[in-house]
Structure formats: structure tokens, C-alpha cells
Amino acid sequence: MTKQTAIFAGGCFWCMVEPFETLPGIEKVRSGYTGGAMVDPTYDEVAAHITGHTEAVKIWFDDDIVSYESLVELYWQLADPTDAMGQFADRGDTYRPVIFVKDDAQRQIAEASKQALASSGRFDQPIVTTIEDAKPFYDAEEEHQQFYKKNPLREMMMMMPRKRYQHKYWSDKEDANNGKA
């Protein structure tokens, strides 16, 4: 088993955990904050836009079972890559879409995937998701971990805009990369 990590920001971290966590090969997914300068920020500080951090998820995975490339492909289906200042109902820099890469190999995969998505014609607007070097990741408070299990009705309501996005951009169009709808 080769353990790896990946960090993705795509709006509210509550909505990013379950899709990754339920994949085979995923060891753990944690909600947290990254990309800013403040050490050990709190939810309230991040929400107040004073830390420079973005809500994100950190994923520990076995790359013998699930590849980083597969995680990036799933990420595109979870976060609107054309919206630089938020995701769905969540607005502001703390919800911006970012792929945080830990090394050159992840950067190459993320950049190639982003270019393929931009060339696919799937979106009418430019792909604005940034690819940035990973910075320290700070776990969110325990109340924010596994939110979909603790608050399933609220989670379901929060996921509705993402589900509409997925249906609009991923269910009805042919994927230029693999020919599947």
C-alpha cells in the first residue's frame, strides 16, 4: 500500500467529504483550512475572512487502489471550476476552488486535467480553479468533521445545488476524455 495525500478546496468543506470518503482506497478525509498565513485558525476566523485560508478537505488514500488522477477527475464534478469567488450558495474567498498540490507529480496531473477540461468544451466560461502549492493544513473543529453523518438532512439540502450542477454539466454531456456520458 502506498499512502498519499491530496488537498482540494471546492466551497463548503461539509459538501466535499462524502463523495471522496466513500471511494475505495480512501483511508480518511478531514475538513480543514489551508492556503492562508494564520496558524491554527478557527472556523469563525476563517469565516470572517481574516486568515487568508480556504475551506478544504485533506484526503489520505492508497494510490494502489485509487489514483490521484481519479481524485482530480472527481473533484471537477464536485466544484464549479468557472466560479473563482465561491461555490454555489457559499460566497467569498474562503470558498474559492483550489487544487493544492504537494509535489511536481501532482502538479503535472492537475495541470493536465485542468487543460483537458478547458479544451473539452464542457463549460462556456473559462476554468478559473487555481493550482497552488500545498501549505499547512489545519483540521477544522470536531463539529465540522463527518458533517454528512451528523446532520444528514442539512447536508442533503446543502448538496442540492451541487447535484443540479452535476446533472447540468456531467450527466447530460459526453466526456471528451473517455467518451462516456
Side-chain angles (χ1 to χ4, degrees), residues 128-140:
V128 297
T129 299
T130 59
I131 298 169
E132 301 176 15
D133 291 335
K135 292 186 178 180
F137 182 91
Y138 302 97
D139 279 358

Side-chain angles (χ1 to χ4, degrees), residues 18-93:
E18 182 180 17
F20 287 109
E21 188 172 74
T22 55
L23 288 176
I26 301 300
E27 180 182 307
K28 173 172 64 170
V29 180
R30 296 289 288 177
S31 297
Y33 320 108
T34 192
M38 182 180 278
V39 175
D40 204 20
T42 66
Y43 182 82
D44 290 337
E45 290 168 334
V46 173
H49 306 276
I50 61 172
T51 67
H53 285 291
T54 302
E55 287 191 15
V57 291
K58 185 171 185 178
I59 302 160
W60 287 260
F61 65 100
D62 178 347
D63 72 354
D64 290 333
I65 298 172
V66 62
S67 68
Y68 179 74
E69 184 175 19
S70 295
L71 297 179
V72 172
E73 293 304 315
L74 175 58
Y75 170 77
W76 294 127
Q77 296 176 42
L78 301 174
D80 182 350
T82 67
D83 188 349
M85 287 309 294
Q87 294 291 290
F88 312 103
D90 301 312
R91 308 310 307 155
D93 59 338

Side-chain angles (χ1 to χ4, degrees), residues 156-171:
M156 183 178 68
M157 295 299 292
M158 292 178 65
M159 286 297 290
M160 289 175 77
R162 287 179 192 262
K163 296 290 185 189
R164 284 191 296 272
Y165 158 80
Q166 288 170 334
H167 180 73
K168 179 178 180 180
Y169 289 103
W170 294 95
S171 296

